[in-house]
């Protein structure tokens, strides 16, 4: 198949910095849309993937799954978008379309879902490459429409940080008066505060960082609990209907379980791997409390969120960076020094 060679940023090994690379994009097939990438958010998953934290990275890898851009070409059988439309692409670029999960708009749980990077491009018979690049070619069914009233850079993080927290908020029926807590104030955490607040919930932030208290309140929390302060933790025992835990590394979940009310759920979205220390089952059994996980969200749910953000004027709080500054951004992310999402201005790669 014909391909186009474009500029991208990625890495060839877990130990190397990201650098400029050349990659191939497929030519537009009948159902495809070609997108000129304007902005791409920087997710902690990009860093995990670049450094092979999950042991599944194939190199070279080009991260980036919070993509906003303009349509530059549409395939002969693609009807959803036209040249010039402002569109977005999140973490998924394909799935089998026939399994029960696909039929239920849960493409993220399709056994054959294709990640925006590190997935398998069946047209090219090679790995997919993400949004740290000039352009991307995506099946129109996995392309989303962006509300025109929102800041184009600020909306990018909605495509992963937003949908990953929106999906559990919706699944666990959060609404007016629900008591919701969010653990960790980073990219996912700050979107969770904004979205839970906009849904009418009573919102609490758990953070390790006393210097983030005011930001937490400004972003939508009604109270902030410093998780290392025992008295503060004690003050919210038996309290929450839902806790969304966004912390990226292994940490003790046990102190949070007791803060759930009877039938409450702690949903882990941040950390992927074995827990250390292990869960103590007593508070779960004594209060029918649950610990669950959740992965991003489906295409229809992501569009629902983009429309919700358009209606409620919600975007991410961002710091715009140049593509060339990505390695510094990763180091700052590791130190929790992000306020609260880096977004790459992709013009910087085109120069
Ligand atoms: P981030 O911006 O780096 O934020 C993570 C926050 O977690 C930090 O700001 C910090 O907040 C808190 N934290 C607690 N312990 C930490 C530690 N040891 N090191 C670093 N931070 C720590 O990350 P993100 O982009 O929100 O992503 C969070 C996690 O979600 C990542 O692991 C990512 O891979 C994962 N993720 C999962 C999904 C999914 O579908 N389930 C989707 C996207 C991302 P405080 O200072 O407030 O404590
Ligand atoms: Zn992500
Ligand atoms: Zn499927």
């Amino acid at each position: 198949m014909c391909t186009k060679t474009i500029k991208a940023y990625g890495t060839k090994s877990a130990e190397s910095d990201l650098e400029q690379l050349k990659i191939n994009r497929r030519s537009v097939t009948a159902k495809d849309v070609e997108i000129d990438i304007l902005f791409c958010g920087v997710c902690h998953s990009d860093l995990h993937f670049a450094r092979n934290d999950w042991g599944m990275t194939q190199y070279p890898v080009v991260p980036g799954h919070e993509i906003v851009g303009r349509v530059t070409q549409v395939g002969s059988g693609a009807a959803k978008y036209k040249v010039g439309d402002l569109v977005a692409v999140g973490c998924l670029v394909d799935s089998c379309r026939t399994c029960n999960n696909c039929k239920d708009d849960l493409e993220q749980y399709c056994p054959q879902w294709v990640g925006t990077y590190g997935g398998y491009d069946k047209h090219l018979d090679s790995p997919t490459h993400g949004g740290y690049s000039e352009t991307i070619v995506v099946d129109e069914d996995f392309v989303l429409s962006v509300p025109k009233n929102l800041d184009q850079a600020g909306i990018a993080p909605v495509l992963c940080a937003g949908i990953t927290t929106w999906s559990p908020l919706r699944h666990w029926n959060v609404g007016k008066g629900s008591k919701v807590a969010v653990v960790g104030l980073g990219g996912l955490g700050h979107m969770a505060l904004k979205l839970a607040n906009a849904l009418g919930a009573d919102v609490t932030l758990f953070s390790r960082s006393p210097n983030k208290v005011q930001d937490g309140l400004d972003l939508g929390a009604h109270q902030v609990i410093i998780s290392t302060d025992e008295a503060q933790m004690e003050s919210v025992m038996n309290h929450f209907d839902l806790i969304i835990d966004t912390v990226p590394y292994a940490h003790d979940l046990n102190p949070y379980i007791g803060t759930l009310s009877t039938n409450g759920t702690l949903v882990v979205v941040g950390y992927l791997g074995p827990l250390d220390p292990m869960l103590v089952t007593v508070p779960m059994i004594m209060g029918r409390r649950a610990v669950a996980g959740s992965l991003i969200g489906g295409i229809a749910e992501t569009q629902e969120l983009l429309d919700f953000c358009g209606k409620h004027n919600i975007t991410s709080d961002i710091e715009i960076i140049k593509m060339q500054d990505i390695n510094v951004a990763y180091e700052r992310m590791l130190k929790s020094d992000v306020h609260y999402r880096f977004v790459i201005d992709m013009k910087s790669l085109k120069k």
Side-chain angles (χ1 to χ4, degrees), residues 95-102 110-112:
S95 70
C96 85
R97 332 259 178 129
T98 56
C99 73
N100 288 341
N101 285 328
C102 284
C110 169
Q112 291 172 47

Side-chain angles (χ1 to χ4, degrees), residues 25-148:
R25 291 291 187 204
R26 66 176 184 258
S27 301
V28 167
T29 69
K31 288 270 281 151
D32 280 338
V33 169
E34 183 192 59
I35 301 161
D36 176 50
I37 302 177
L38 300 172
F39 295 100
C40 185
V42 179
C43 179
H44 207 111
S45 302
D46 298 349
L47 186 160
H48 286 310
F49 223 81
R51 302 195 175 173
N52 200 18
D53 287 346
W54 297 329
M56 56 165 128
T57 308
Q58 282 178 287
Y59 294 94
V61 61
V62 173
H65 55 205
E66 295 182 339
I67 300 167
V68 170
R70 284 224 183 261
V71 174
T72 45
Q73 232 191 106
V74 291
S76 55
K80 291 189 183 162
Y81 299 100
K82 55 181 194 317
V83 171
D85 283 352
L86 188 68
V87 293
V89 177
C91 308
L92 292 165
V93 288
D94 208 351
S95 70
C96 85
R97 332 259 178 129
T98 56
C99 73
N100 288 341
N101 285 328
C102 284
K103 284 185 197 145
D104 290 343
D105 290 324
L106 295 169
E107 300 87 359
Q108 74 274 33
Y109 301 119
C110 169
Q112 291 172 47
W113 72 280
V114 180
T116 304
Y117 57 84
Y120 172 69
D121 184 330
K122 64 184 179 210
H123 302 279
L124 291 181
D125 187 24
S126 64
T128 53
H129 290 305
Y132 296 3
S133 56
E134 292 178 290
T135 61
I136 191 165
V137 177
V138 180
D139 185 303
E140 63 169 356
D141 292 341
F142 288 78
V143 176
L144 297 137
S145 179
V146 177
K148 292 194 177 61

Side-chain angles (χ1 to χ4, degrees), residues 21-333:
L21 307 170
K22 290 244 158 72
I23 59 166
N24 289 331
R25 291 291 187 204
R26 66 176 184 258
S27 301
V28 167
T29 69
K31 288 270 281 151
D32 280 338
V33 169
E34 183 192 59
I35 301 161
D36 176 50
I37 302 177
L38 300 172
F39 295 100
C40 185
V42 179
C43 179
H44 207 111
S45 302
D46 298 349
L47 186 160
H48 286 310
F49 223 81
R51 302 195 175 173
N52 200 18
D53 287 346
W54 297 329
M56 56 165 128
T57 308
Q58 282 178 287
Y59 294 94
V61 61
V62 173
H65 55 205
E66 295 182 339
I67 300 167
V68 170
R70 284 224 183 261
V71 174
T72 45
Q73 232 191 106
V74 291
S76 55
K80 291 189 183 162
Y81 299 100
K82 55 181 194 317
V83 171
D85 283 352
L86 188 68
V87 293
V89 177
C91 308
L92 292 165
V93 288
D94 208 351
S95 70
C96 85
R97 332 259 178 129
T98 56
C99 73
N100 288 341
N101 285 328
C102 284
K103 284 185 197 145
D104 290 343
D105 290 324
L106 295 169
E107 300 87 359
Q108 74 274 33
Y109 301 119
C110 169
Q112 291 172 47
W113 72 280
V114 180
T116 304
Y117 57 84
Y120 172 69
D121 184 330
K122 64 184 179 210
H123 302 279
L124 291 181
D125 187 24
S126 64
T128 53
H129 290 305
Y132 296 3
S133 56
E134 292 178 290
T135 61
I136 191 165
V137 177
V138 180
D139 185 303
E140 63 169 356
D141 292 341
F142 288 78
V143 176
L144 297 137
S145 179
V146 177
K148 292 194 177 61
N149 58 317
L150 297 177
D151 177 63
Q152 293 172 8
I155 198 70
V158 169
L159 277 302
C160 178
I163 186 60
T164 301
T165 53
W166 178 253
S167 190
L169 289 169
R170 298 287 284 144
H171 180 75
W172 276 277
N173 295 315
V174 166
K176 212 169 168 36
S178 304
K179 295 190 175 70
V180 174
V182 175
V183 188
L185 187 55
L188 269 57
H190 94 289
M191 287 310 300
L193 295 183
K194 289 184 184 221
L195 297 173
N197 183 298
L199 285 169
D202 181 41
V203 187
T204 298
L205 169 68
F206 285 114
S207 174
R208 305 166 301 175
S209 311
N211 63 334
K212 291 186 186 172
V213 171
Q214 192 54 49
D215 284 357
L217 297 171
D218 294 345
L219 288 162
H222 300 100
Q223 66 171 339
V224 179
I225 301 286
I226 298 303
S227 51
T228 48
D229 183 318
E230 276 180 32
Q232 289 192 31
M233 291 297 282
E234 193 61 37
S235 72
V236 286
M237 291 303 277
N238 302 306
H239 190 74
F240 300 111
D241 303 312
L242 182 71
I243 302 176
I244 301 180
D245 187 321
T246 75
V247 173
Y249 298 96
H251 59 290
D252 192 359
L253 294 189
N254 292 298
Y256 300 106
I257 311 287
T259 71
L260 289 169
S261 59
T262 306
N263 294 323
T265 301
L266 182 152
V267 56
V268 177
V269 295
Y271 170 64
L272 209 66
L275 289 173
D276 183 20
M278 286 195 261
L279 281 179
V280 179
T281 60
V282 180
M284 293 162 71
I285 288 173
M286 301 311 277
R288 201 158 58 189
R289 300 173 172 109
V291 174
S294 182
L295 178 68
I296 48 174
I299 296 300
E301 199 173 40
T302 308
Q303 189 63 59
E304 172 193 73
L305 171 60
L306 283 163
D307 297 345
F308 180 88
C309 289
K311 196 166 156 211
H312 294 263
N313 218 4
I314 295 173
T315 52
S316 179
D317 284 32
I318 60 166
E319 182 176 336
I320 295 193
I321 60 166
K322 293 193 184 99
M323 187 70 261
Q324 294 75 6
D325 295 333
I326 189 68
N327 296 303
V328 177
Y330 277 10
E331 288 312 311
R332 286 185 51 195
M333 191 151 63

Side-chain angles (χ1 to χ4, degrees), residues 10-19 50-51 59 327 330:
T11 177
K12 292 177 185 152
S13 83
E15 294 76 34
S16 334
D17 277 350
L18 274 70
E19 59 179 316
R51 302 195 175 173
Y59 294 94
N327 296 303
Y330 277 10

